[in-house]
Amino acid sequence: MKTEQEITYRGIKLLIEGYYTEPEEQVMYYSDMSGHPGSPSEFDVNAVFVQDTDIYDLLGNDELEHISELCIEEIEK
C-alpha cells in the first residue's frame, strides 16, 4: 500500500513516501506441503522530504534501512 509517513530522524522531521507491506502470519505446513513460513512487514522508501526538498539521493543504504524501520514502527503503533 502506498503511503506517506512522518518521522523524526536524528532530530529532523521527515516526510517519507513509500510502500508498506503488512506482515503475513505463519501457516503451518501440512502433509501436502501447503503452508507459508510467514513474513515480516516491509517499508520500501521511495522519497525522503525535508520540507519540500527530496533528499533520498543523499542518504546511504544504512540510513534508508533505519528510516524504513522507523516508518514501520510508526505505522504499527
Side-chain angles (χ1 to χ4, degrees), residues 26-44:
Q26 177 181 6
V27 176
M28 296 301 293
Y29 286 95
Y30 303 104
S31 61
D32 66 354
M33 297 307 287
S34 64
H36 185 277
S39 61
S41 53
E42 295 180 6
F43 191 91
D44 184 29

Side-chain angles (χ1 to χ4, degrees), residues 1-69:
M1 145 179 76
K2 186 175 182 177
T3 187
E4 292 182 349
Q5 188 63 47
E6 287 187 9
I7 63 166
T8 300
Y9 178 69
R10 296 186 177 185
I12 301 169
K13 290 190 179 201
L14 302 175
L15 176 65
I16 312 300
E17 289 183 358
Y19 288 89
Y20 172 71
T21 305
E22 294 181 358
E24 293 183 14
E25 297 279 332
Q26 177 181 6
V27 176
M28 296 301 293
Y29 286 95
Y30 303 104
S31 61
D32 66 354
M33 297 307 287
S34 64
H36 185 277
S39 61
S41 53
E42 295 180 6
F43 191 91
D44 184 29
V45 177
N46 293 333
V48 180
F49 289 96
V50 176
Q51 295 178 356
D52 293 329
T53 304
D54 185 359
I55 62 166
Y56 180 89
D57 292 332
L58 302 176
L59 301 170
N61 288 336
D62 290 341
E63 293 164 318
L64 290 170
E65 185 175 323
H66 189 224
I67 288 170
S68 175
E69 291 169 2

